[in-house]
Amino acid sequence: MKYFLAFLLMLSCPVRAQENISPSSRLPRCDAPALMEALNAKVAEYYAGQPAENITTRRRQALILKNMEKFEEIDITSFQPSDNYQVANLIMMKKMNLGLVEADMRLCKNEADSILSEVYLLIYPDNGMARASLINFTNNSANREFFVEFPLDPLENSEKKE
């Protein structure tokens, strides 16, 4: 009898749609316009606080901003530490500190062909929000994490499969 009551209780509790959605599908896509806008604003704010000392630095900043217009997702499971140590370090820190696995994160790389080093985005859930950390966009960003946060919204951010 108690199993029958437990079964009825289980049937009467609605299953929330969010519980059936994988963590990475709840994160913003690499090419989400709102994400790109927020990142560009964050970098511009950083550059406003760090004025260029010469024309070379100013041109480098402008080139970095131009190269951040489009990102593509790369397979985080095939990413090797030798590809970029800063990215590998941040991935490992998020795995250890937040208990995440690769399936919980999304790794993006800028698509621009440039002589500058590649800029990466690591998008992962943190405290009920999606955090996008910008990696390797300045020489001195190793000790400071630059990020923007978004709500985890499965209906808005998941890719539609038809």
Side-chain angles (χ1 to χ4, degrees):
M1 181 69 176
K2 69 179 181 180
Y3 294 113
F4 180 71
L5 291 175
F7 179 71
L8 286 178
L9 181 63
M10 187 176 72
L11 289 178
S12 66
C13 295
V15 176
R16 292 181 8 201
Q18 291 183 3
E19 293 172 358
N20 296 327
I21 298 174
S22 69
S24 64
S25 68
R26 298 178 66 200
L27 299 172
R29 294 183 319 271
C30 295
D31 60 351
L35 175 62
M36 292 297 102
E37 184 178 318
L39 283 171
N40 285 330
K42 182 77 170 179
V43 172
E45 175 186 325
Y46 169 75
Y47 284 152
Q50 307 283 328
E53 297 175 0
N54 54 44
I55 193 164
T56 305
T57 305
R58 198 169 337 153
R59 288 181 54 85
R60 176 177 163 70
Q61 290 176 353
L63 187 58
I64 287 172
L65 283 173
K66 179 183 175 206
N67 288 340
M68 287 181 43
E69 291 177 358
K70 190 164 183 179
F71 282 83
E72 66 179 345
E73 186 169 352
I74 59 175
D75 184 16
I76 196 168
T77 58
S78 64
F79 188 82
Q80 299 296 315
S82 59
D83 295 338
N84 188 299
Y85 290 108
Q86 283 183 317
V87 175
N89 184 35
L90 188 60
I91 291 171
M92 187 57 62
M93 283 183 6
K94 299 310 171 190
K95 284 175 157 183
M96 291 180 352
N97 295 338
L98 299 176
L100 299 174
V101 295
E102 282 96 354
D104 297 334
M105 297 181 271
R106 184 171 284 166
L107 183 62
C108 312
K109 184 175 84 170
N110 66 325
E111 290 184 353
D113 293 327
S114 173
I115 59 172
L116 300 175
S117 58
E118 295 154 330
V119 178
Y120 291 86
L121 280 175
L122 182 63
I123 307 170
Y124 55 94
D126 187 21
N127 292 325
M129 300 288 285
R131 181 176 282 198
S133 293
L134 187 60
I135 311 163
N136 206 34
F137 81 96
T138 66
N139 291 336
N140 59 357
S141 65
N143 296 322
R144 182 175 174 196
E145 186 177 352
F146 290 87
F147 62 89
V148 292
E149 291 183 327
F150 284 84
L152 287 171
D153 186 358
L155 299 177
E156 186 175 317
N157 297 325
S158 63
E159 296 178 18
K160 296 179 181 175
K161 297 179 181 175
E162 297 180 22

